Amino acid sequence: MKKLKTFFLETYGCQMNFSDSELVEGLLIRGGLTPASEAEEADLILVNTCGVREHAEQRVFGRLGLFKTYKEDSPHKLLAVIGCMAQRIGEQILEQAPWVDLVLGPDGYRKLPQLIEELTGENHSQLAALAFEVSETYEDLAPTRKNHLSAWVPISRGCDNFCSYCIVPYVRGRERSVNPDSVERQVREQVAGGALEIVLLGQNVNSYRYGDTDFAALLRRLDGIEGLRWIRFLTSHPRDLSDRIIEAMADCEKVCEHLHLPVQSGSDRVLGLMNRGYSRAFYLERVAALRERIPGLGLTTDILVGFPGESNGDFGETVSLMNEVQFDYAYTFKYSPRPGTVAARKKEELSEEEKSLRLDTVIQLQRSHTRQALHSLRGRVLEALPVQKAKSGEGILQGKTRSNFNIFLSAGESCLGRVVRARVSGNTGMNLLGELAEG
Ligand code: SAH
Ligand code: SF4
Ligand code: F3S
C-alpha cells in the first residue's frame, strides 16, 4: 500500500476537543506526516467529533458522506473518526459508514501511529480502539499550536458529575487531574514559546485535585510564572466554586476578571432533575460573592432550555435568573436527548416548536443584556490583548479584554501580541470598539 504522507484533521466540539486535536497533530507530525490544506488532498482524513448534541453527530455523518466521494476517487486514502462521538457510537459508525477505516476514542490517541501502520499493511480491515485509560492525561505529549499568544493547557480530563442530560462522563471517562508539576512545566514551555495567555482546561476545573494541590493552590502557583500575563480557565461548576477559589482569583494578579459559570436553569426543580448539585439561591449567592471580591468581573454562562418536564413556570425562573444576574454573554442550547443518559429515559412532553420558542426567548433576552453590558463599559479603560488584524478594515486589530469581551481596537500593527490599555469608544452590539489609552 502507498505510504501516507499528508493528513487533514477537522475538529468539532469544545475547547478540550480542539486541544486534543493539537496533541493528535503533534503526534502525526512527529510521525513524519505533513498537514494538507484541503481534505481532498490528504492521504489521511481525521474527524475529531463531539457527541454532546444530536445535531453535532448528524453533521459528522454529513461530512463522512462527502469524504466517501474523496475515497472513491483515491482508494488509498484513510478515514478516521476520533473523539467523543467515536467513543459513543464507534461500532455503529463502522457499520453505517463502512468506508470509515478507524474509530478511535479520546483516550487512545497515543496508539494512533501504530494503528495507522496496521491500516497501511496488507489486507487491512476496519479498526476500533475505544478502551478507556483511567491514567491517560497526555501530559508528556507536545501539542502543535496555531495561536502562539494564547495556549490551552488541560489540567484534568473526564468528568464525574453525571448531569442527567450529559453524555460527556460516558465518552470521556472518569475525572483525573494532571500533576501540578507537569501543568507548571507545560505553562512555562508555552510562555517560553511566546504565549502571554494560558487557558486551563477541564470539564470541571473547580474540582481539580492532585495530592494536596487543589484548584486554588494551582492558580496561586501558576500566578508566579514570569512572562505569563493572563490566566483563564474553563469550565467552572458552580457547586465546586469554593471561597478558596474566589479568594485565589481575587488575589492572583494574572488571573483574568472573567468566569464562565454555567447555570443551565433558574428553576430549583429542574436543577434537581438535572443533578446539578446546587440551587438557584446557591448560584445567586456565588455570583454575589464573586462580584464583591472581583470588581469588573465578566460573567458568562450556559443555559439549557427544554429539559424534560420543564414547565412554563420553570422556564420563567430561568428568565428571571437571567434578568437578576445580567450575564455578559450566554451560550444557549435546546435540550437534545442523549441515549444512555438518565434524562433520555424521561418522556419528552415539549414539542420541538415549544423548545425552539424558549430558546429564542433566551437568545433575545441575552442579546439585550450583552448590549447593556457593552454599553455600560463606554469610556472605561480596559486591558486588552490584540491578536490579529481585523478583517473589518485597515488600522483595526482584533483581540480580547481581560474580562473576555471581543474588542476591535484602532491601533497600529506594532500593538499586535502586546497587552495594551484600551479606552472603550463604542460597541457593535456583540463586540467592543476601542482606541489606545495613553499611559
Ligand atoms: N463541562 C462543561 C461543558 C459541558 S458541555 C460544563 O459542565 O459546563 C457544554 C454545554 O452543553 C453544557 O453546559 C450544556 O449547557 C450543553 N449540553 C450538554 N448536554 C446537552 C444536551 N444533552 N442537550 C443540549 N445541550 C447540552
Ligand atoms: Fe456534562 Fe455536567 Fe460534566 Fe459538564 S459537569 S461535562 S455538563 S456531566
Ligand atoms: Fe467536548 Fe463534545 Fe466531547 S463538548 S468533551 S467534544 S462530547
Side-chain angles (χ1 to χ4, degrees):
M1 185 156 190
K2 196 175 147 198
K3 190 168 159 37
L4 301 183
K5 292 201 188 91
T6 56
F7 71 93
F8 183 86
L9 168 57
E10 69 181 28
T11 308
Y12 298 89
C14 62
Q15 277 93 343
M16 184 61 90
N17 235 27
F18 280 83
S19 158
D20 280 357
S21 279
E22 294 184 340
L23 294 176
V24 170
E25 269 185 49
L27 267 170
L28 294 172
I29 291 171
R30 282 193 299 279
L33 276 81
T34 46
S37 52
E38 306 281 346
E40 210 166 350
E41 293 160 11
D43 299 327
L44 167 65
I45 302 175
L46 306 105
V47 193
N48 191 0
T49 58
C50 170
V52 85
R53 281 169 290 275
E54 195 187 343
H55 178 72
E57 295 192 347
Q58 282 167 349
R59 236 169 105 194
V60 169
F61 274 116
R63 297 298 284 167
L64 296 182
L66 174 71
F67 297 147
K68 180 184 185 206
T69 63
Y70 297 171
K71 283 195 71 166
E72 282 162 356
D73 292 341
S74 323
H76 79 280
K77 267 190 207 302
L78 291 178
L79 177 56
V81 180
I82 67 175
C84 297
M85 176 186 171
Q87 186 67 47
R88 193 179 86 76
I89 49 164
E91 300 293 345
Q92 186 188 325
I93 294 171
L94 293 182
E95 237 178 80
Q96 269 186 34
W99 59 94
V100 170
D101 299 285
L102 170 67
V103 289
L104 175 61
D107 277 354
Y109 298 145
R110 243 177 240 285
K111 296 193 208 106
L112 192 53
Q114 175 206 328
L115 291 165
I116 293 173
E117 188 100 342
E118 283 177 43
L119 285 171
T120 47
E122 292 291 309
N123 306 323
H124 83 267
S125 57
Q126 291 178 307
L127 290 178
L130 303 171
F132 284 119
E133 305 285 342
V134 281
S135 60
E136 185 56 271
T137 57
Y138 299 121
E139 54 199 84
D140 56 318
L141 291 189
T144 57
R145 282 195 19 234
K146 294 200 178 70
N147 180 349
H148 289 277
L149 295 168
S150 177
W152 288 309
V153 177
I155 63 166
S156 66
R157 294 182 71 84
C159 183
D160 289 348
N161 286 316
F162 290 93
C163 301
S164 63
Y165 50 81
C166 184
I167 198 69
V168 172
Y170 301 90
V171 294
R172 289 263 165 184
R174 300 290 54 79
E175 183 178 300
R176 55 226 112 119
S177 295
V178 180
N179 184 329
D181 296 336
S182 166
V183 174
E184 182 178 337
R185 175 185 54 73
Q186 292 180 59
V187 172
R188 285 188 186 280
E189 278 170 17
Q190 299 294 357
V191 170
L196 295 178
E197 171 186 79
I198 52 146
V199 185
L200 305 175
L201 293 183
Q203 296 303 337
N204 176 9
V205 290
N206 292 169
S207 62
Y208 174 91
R209 174 168 287 279
Y210 194 99
D212 291 339
T213 309
D214 64 3
F215 186 58
L218 184 71
L219 286 180
R220 290 182 190 276
R221 180 164 169 182
L222 300 178
D223 197 48
I225 294 180
E226 216 175 304
L228 175 63
R229 296 295 298 272
W230 290 359
I231 301 173
R232 295 185 195 280
F233 48 86
L234 282 172
T235 299
S236 291
H237 194 300
R239 184 199 56 217
D240 299 318
L241 182 70
S242 62
D243 288 339
R244 266 177 67 79
I245 295 175
I246 297 179
E247 285 309 310
M249 288 178 70
D251 289 348
C252 292
E253 191 204 324
K254 291 172 184 164
V255 174
C256 290
E257 293 76 32
H258 169 237
L259 192 67
H260 184 63
L261 195 62
V263 65
Q264 314 298 358
S265 167
S267 150
D268 278 340
R269 204 178 65 83
V270 173
L271 287 170
L273 291 171
M274 287 176 164
N275 191 31
R276 287 292 285 177
Y278 54 86
S279 63
R280 174 193 177 97
F282 181 86
Y283 187 90
L284 292 173
E285 185 280 323
R286 290 289 78 187
V287 169
L290 280 161
R291 286 184 164 156
E292 193 189 314
R293 287 296 284 125
I294 308 164
L297 179 83
L299 188 64
T300 56
T301 199
D302 290 351
I303 306 266
L304 175 46
V305 301
F307 185 83
E310 182 189 74
S311 66
N312 278 329
D314 293 319
F315 178 64
E317 296 270 294
T318 299
V319 168
S320 92
L321 181 131
M322 290 174 74
N323 280 321
E324 211 166 316
V325 176
Q326 302 268 333
F327 294 104
D328 293 304
Y329 192 80
Y331 298 86
T332 49
F333 305 102
K334 189 163 74 169
Y335 171 73
S336 162
R338 306 318 290 133
T341 61
V342 170
R345 294 204 287 272
K346 292 190 209 294
K347 197 164 157 272
E348 280 205 81
E349 274 131 23
L350 290 170
S351 65
E352 274 309 300
E353 290 70 37
E354 184 58 40
K355 286 203 272 181
S356 297
L357 271 174
R358 290 184 184 178
L359 181 65
D360 216 47
T361 303
V362 292
I363 290 173
Q364 297 306 334
L365 181 62
Q366 185 53 49
R367 280 203 187 133
S368 76
H369 291 163
T370 300
R371 270 196 300 273
Q372 282 169 34
L374 293 167
H375 201 71
S376 71
L377 290 170
R378 200 187 169 98
R380 291 268 298 278
V381 174
L382 303 174
E383 260 190 27
L385 174 59
V387 291
Q388 62 189 39
K389 288 197 275 181
K391 291 181 195 86
S392 50
E394 273 300 298
I396 315 262
L397 305 179
Q398 190 183 342
K400 282 232 159 123
T401 67
R402 256 178 86 108
S403 49
N404 206 44
F405 285 105
N406 280 317
I407 187 161
F408 289 101
L409 195 65
S410 306
E413 275 179 45
S414 61
C415 292
L416 273 181
R418 278 174 42 206
V419 175
V420 298
R421 283 156 55 77
R423 186 178 305 281
V424 177
S425 55
N427 68 75
T428 64
M430 271 311 233
N431 308 296
L432 290 172
L433 301 171
E435 48 211 32
L436 287 182
E438 314 75 52

